[in-house]
Amino acid sequence: MTAPPAPEAASRLHIVQATIARATADARRKADDVTLIAVSKTHAADAIQPLIDAGQRIFGENRVTEAAGKWPALRAAHPDIALHMVGQLQSNKAEQAARLFDCIHSLDRPSLVTALARAMDKADRRIPCFIQVNLDPLALALGEGQNRHDTEKGGCAPAALPALLTQARAADIDVIGLMTVPPANLEPAPWFALLAKIADDHGLPGLSMGMSGDYATAIRIGATHVRVGSALFGAR
Ligand SMILES: *Cc1c(COP(=O)(O)O)cnc(C)c1O
């Protein structure tokens, strides 16, 4: 949890950027088709500042309260920063989230659609969202799922997606794509490919998938947004 010295943060960023460049080239995609979200959860402002100094401008957090504590000051100093919410969002934090974040990756249930739509009205801003899909039920159905205690992981069941998408659009929420955290302890590539297929079926261009261990794989399969934490900030 100690802050890495600035040169280390900058060199980690360069390594991640080079990996993204290589993966996009492999997939015959343009490097700027992929948005790098630096997931700074658990890291204090003094650990984040070196990445800002190195030019990173898009950051991700997974808790509203933590983000509200450290980002207003950083953003006041760097107004061009964008902040993405990548973690599960409680409906009672929707109002705070609508003021604090520029994109939500974890829209996953009807009650949150309702709460976020109302929160965006109140904040008088519309922020783009990804619908988070939980592919674990499919892994289980294939007999591949782990009996995991990761029940905290959010995401709608694939079967619930069409209705949620319809509801979100009716509530004037701009759904730009799908997000997933693949089933644990399995090869991630088939799950990334499945998410890409589902997004394509629904005409959704955005794919938020890939973390420190698998973002190059995700990019080769079509990720438009990668959420990278420990590869940039070190272990949490
Ligand atoms: C923490 C987190 C990440 C980043 O994970 P790393 O393995 O540290 O890169 C990405 N997405 C979500 C939803 C997270 O909670």
Side-chain angles (χ1 to χ4, degrees), residues 178-220:
L178 300 181
M179 178 275 223
T180 202
V181 177
N185 305 320
L186 294 176
E187 177 61 45
W191 307 101
F192 292 153
L194 179 58
L195 191 76
K197 164 81 168 74
I198 298 170
D200 190 53
D201 286 347
H202 291 281
L204 293 166
L207 283 173
S208 170
M209 57 188 198
M211 304 173 23
S212 290
D214 53 23
Y215 65 96
T217 300
I219 288 167
R220 290 191 183 91

Side-chain angles (χ1 to χ4, degrees), residues 38-209:
V39 180
S40 49
K41 67 189 187 196
T42 76
H43 296 286
D46 63 347
I48 297 170
Q49 189 65 51
L51 276 187
I52 297 174
D53 294 342
Q56 178 65 24
R57 284 295 179 272
I58 303 173
F59 290 86
E61 289 285 341
N62 73 334
R63 285 171 204 267
V64 175
T65 307
E66 182 185 337
K70 65 191 183 192
W71 279 102
L74 288 166
R75 299 189 73 162
H78 305 277
D80 56 339
I81 282 175
L83 199 56
H84 290 223
M85 175 59 175
V86 302
Q88 262 196 284
L89 182 56
Q90 294 167 259
S91 295
N92 63 9
K93 299 267 171 69
E95 276 192 29
Q96 213 180 348
R99 288 191 301 268
L100 195 56
F101 293 102
D102 303 294
C103 183
I104 308 277
H105 290 242
S106 49
L107 192 62
D108 66 353
R109 57 193 190 278
S111 58
L112 185 57
V113 169
T114 304
L116 258 184
R118 193 178 300 143
M120 289 189 216
D121 285 344
K122 210 165 164 184
D124 198 22
R125 61 194 292 252
R126 310 308 293 183
I127 53 181
C129 295
F130 291 84
I131 291 182
Q132 183 177 352
V133 179
N134 185 353
L135 299 173
D136 290 4
L138 294 182
L140 280 170
L142 291 170
E144 290 182 351
Q146 308 275 318
N147 204 355
R148 299 165 329 114
H149 38 79
D150 193 7
T151 47
E152 248 192 61
K153 180 159 121 184
C156 71
L161 174 64
L164 198 62
L165 190 55
T166 301
Q167 184 201 356
R169 285 173 171 159
D172 203 20
I173 292 179
D174 182 20
V175 178
I176 59 172
L178 300 181
M179 178 275 223
T180 202
V181 177
N185 305 320
L186 294 176
E187 177 61 45
W191 307 101
F192 292 153
L194 179 58
L195 191 76
K197 164 81 168 74
I198 298 170
D200 190 53
D201 286 347
H202 291 281
L204 293 166
L207 283 173
S208 170
M209 57 188 198

Side-chain angles (χ1 to χ4, degrees), residues 9-33:
S11 56
R12 282 185 177 131
L13 178 61
H14 292 143
I15 290 166
V16 171
Q17 287 169 335
T19 305
I20 291 172
R22 198 179 321 121
T24 49
D26 286 352
R28 299 177 186 281
R29 304 175 60 200
K30 288 179 287 178
D32 62 4
D33 281 353

